[in-house]
Amino acid sequence: MISHFLKLEWKQFFRSSHWQKGIAIKIVMAFLALYFIVVFLAIGVGGYFILKKQFPEQDPLQIVNSYLLYAVLGDLIFRYLMQKLPVMNIKPMLILPIKKSKLVHYVLAKSSISFFNILGLFFYIPFAVVLMIEGYAISGALGWLFAIVLMIQSANFLNFLINKNTIALGVISVVLASLIGLQNFGIYDVTALGGQVFDAIYTNPIYSLIGVVVLAVLYNLNFKQLKNLVYLDEAVSQKVVAVKSADLSFANKLGDVAPFIKNDIRLIWRNKRTKTVFLMSFLFLFYGLIFFTQESYKEIPAMLMFASLFITGGFALNYGQFIPAWDSAHYKMLMSQSFKYRKFLESKWILMVVMTSFLYVLSFPYLYFGVDIFLMITAGAIFNIGFNSLFLLFAGSFNRKKIDLNKSGFGNTQGTSATQFLIILPLMVLPMLLFWLFNEFVGANSGYIVVAAIGVISLLCKKYAMNFIEKKYIENKYVMINAFGKEA
């Protein structure tokens, strides 16, 4: 029966209309997956020796164990935002003599071999092999690796239980932030506590069996939850969902664009893909920590500007590149209404500007790295508000791909075309190039000034830019209506 399910899914995948339409995107995604696999494999093989060289007085295994607690919580947050829930088209099978338990077991087993569960193993397995080669106890290394595998699978099934619970995401995020704060400010040594747990598993591999119990409990909870949904009535019935309306009266102060702003806020918060974009924009705030904490990047100021743009531009870049495809499901209805297209576009622009400004305020702690770094972030924020927001609106006039907002953002290439890749070039390369040229050949903070000046000039020319963009959208109005009306 399992082999029959696999054959059906194989045929469904290759016979679907999405296969040939998105072949180029699938190739790009395959190369990205291969890249991450190679990177994790290289770190797994060389990680032991790198840690041994950098920290000769410490045990590399204990160093890794010390940070596994952070890895677990970070993995849960990443899965919540990115991982797709296991799905299978079960409607045709519910009228066949197939046990419902087999369908549920198949769906859960399918989820256990997802890319999220496999990627980490390309680090942990080579690292465990190196440990055994370097003289560590084979039983201890294998017990440690077994516990890691169980931990990854447990995170997989725990994510499915909490995936629709925003409160759970908030709790995990607060716990992770609190642990990092306790460690960084020297209040409590969190790494020592986490390290003791996994060190104990290496010393006594029998402790890894606790992971089996945890995994069995989480699997059973998922099984019961899914089995309650595997009924024909449940599959074909119309679901009535009570939507909680938020008080958005504050938007009324914005005048004619207020109705569009309210609709965009509701659209973002009520749909999975847009909510993912919104929440991910806050994670981009930490993007600078990758660059600003490394001495090697300080010798390449253009890369620091690249990071500065992402810190405040996470929302604008990810949301703006799919304008107006976010409204593709009701675009035909929207275009039949009597309103000025300019107001529709300005609502998108205001949303990007407000979010960029809010993220800039949240970036104030980067003053810790110095005034120069914060000036770079400030210049990037002005560039995002002035130039990038308008350019993204203009680029949206070329969007022709429909988006299903209820689908997860990770691995979902729906709505993606060559336009999205071309957009990135002027948005990221232009400020980096300008900053490098003026910083290298003029100096005296001229790099910051030029990047910020482009943003200011763009803001001053907003009226003329919006007139041009509005005409472009009106010209392509019926082309987009036709494109969004087709099946994605």
Side-chain angles (χ1 to χ4, degrees), residues 410-449:
F410 184 80
N412 185 0
T413 58
Q414 200 178 51
T416 305
S417 64
T419 303
Q420 278 67 42
F421 295 101
L422 294 175
I423 286 173
I424 297 299
L425 294 177
L427 296 186
M428 306 308 297
V429 176
L430 176 62
M432 289 173 63
L433 180 61
L434 287 173
F435 179 82
W436 177 79
L437 285 173
F438 281 84
N439 188 68
E440 187 74 17
F441 299 106
V442 179
N445 296 331
S446 60
Y448 311 123
I449 295 171

Side-chain angles (χ1 to χ4, degrees), residues 44-57:
V45 173
Y48 176 89
F49 304 103
I50 294 172
L51 292 173
K52 194 70 176 176
K53 183 179 179 180
Q54 294 293 326
F55 309 98
E57 298 180 357

